[in-house]
Amino acid sequence: MPPIPLPRDFQWGFATAAYQIEGAVDEDGRGKSIWDTFCHLKPTRTKGANGDIACDHYHRFDEDFDLLSSYGAKAYRFSISWSRIIPLGGRNDPVNESGIEFYNKLIDSLLARGITPWVTLYHWDLPQALHDRYGGWLDVEQSQLDFERYAMICYERFGDRVKNWITLNEPWIVSIFGYATGGNAPGRSSINPQSTEGNTATEPWIVGKALIMSHARAVALYNKRFRASQQGEIGISLNGDYYEPWDGQDERDQLAAERRMEFHIGWFANPVCLAQDYPVCMREQLGERLPKFTDADFGLLREADMDFYGMNYYTSQFARHRDRPAPETDFLGNVDEFQENKQEVSVGEPSGVHWLRSTPGLFRKHLTRVYRKYGKPIYITENGCPCPGEDKMTREEAVEDEYRIRYFQDHIDAVGLAYNEDGSDIKGYFAWSLMDNLEWSDGYGVRFGVTFTDYDTLERTPKKSALQLKTMFDERITAMTDGAEISSVNNVRAHM
């Protein structure tokens, strides 16, 4: 079968996050983040792993960018460590010039190689000082003002060269794993026996509003003060699985699948994409526990018109309705999640981590649902997988990552089908991740990288998939010749 064409201006590259790769946690004035604290809790919450050294990207970024160049990447998505820029985090706290200098070097090094920088302002590493000072994201008003000032400094100091901004990475994970299950920093939960603080019934929803309004302030600020001069784009990266009904013939499961996606995606996408209230099903289930938006909040959300929807996608699931009322601690939408349906058919081929199966057909459905519902051009800001058994493999075994190559190819073809046949406006793709790194609470066992990292020597070794991606994209982008502008794309969009 010939390659499925992608647009000529399609951007592609790789993604990382600061705490997962940088290391150097106490060098050059960097302040602590909540992940520094969380990784050193006893007993361990991260399988004994921490980001103190990680991949030592702080000292090896030129080596890593040489790899990026050799892989043919056109773009690179990385995050800035808030506490490297403002060690204490707050709007009246001093700026760390050494942190500014480090990210200036990163940006200039990328540009010198012809690689477009994509910057995420917040990838989970809240300054610990803000958590200590007022509870961090639990204070809706304070946190958004501090985030706005942090964003302003980044725009001022880097915006002459950075033209692609992402405000937040996966606010659902921040809210739920950080404040409902307690599996991520800061580890607050009332249902996790390891947690000593938190209220799963209330705190995730407060944090969600704090993140939504922080995003809005950062986007509105860019629109008012920086867009005209810097001519950049700004968006957000939302995670979310696609859900099919566990029993396709049961209307209750059909409603459960849609409700699960509303709790996963609509929670954030309704306000930030449409300047609308949370989904009705959330209001119905959560009642007064779901914070209200004021008229002033909606005004700010309207001012925060963003350019694109960043999609982090890994897998899909089946949703089954529950007959009993939702407990106060439920955050899924009163559904049960399964990887097999009623007929015991798997949602996809298992990977090297229990929660991820390869589901390219449902990825296509997900892309089209999100585009039609929210109307924003889509950049896939994360997509990837570990190979089955990869956590136990030697370097020589791990570089032969045929499962990952197949996963990438199938999911990139799903992008092409969504673009050409469904009329979804998809503009780019970032593979997760450039290198094996600290996978948060999974520690250093799970390997998502296209580069093998030896955590003892920190030596990097390209896997086969790293070089295959260039071939995949070259074939698909060059296939979009003058005569190959699929007419159905325009026909579909004209009737949407």
Side-chain angles (χ1 to χ4, degrees), residues 408-452:
F408 281 146
Q409 181 167 313
D410 291 347
H411 284 74
I412 293 166
D413 281 344
V415 172
L417 290 168
Y419 176 81
N420 289 302
E421 298 189 9
D422 304 336
S424 302
D425 188 6
I426 309 165
K427 292 183 172 292
Y429 177 100
F430 292 85
W432 186 270
S433 173
L434 174 61
M435 66 189 89
D436 296 332
N437 56 49
L438 175 67
E439 281 297 334
W440 306 108
S441 57
D442 282 331
Y444 290 106
V446 179
R447 292 179 177 269
F448 274 84
V450 300
T451 308
F452 181 90

Side-chain angles (χ1 to χ4, degrees), residues 2 81 107 125 155 158-159 231 283 387 395-396 441 480:
S81 167
I107 293 162
D125 47 355
Y155 302 152
F158 310 127
Q231 297 291 300
R283 284 269 174 229
C387 299
R395 172 171 47 196
E396 291 71 26
S441 57
M480 187 64 84

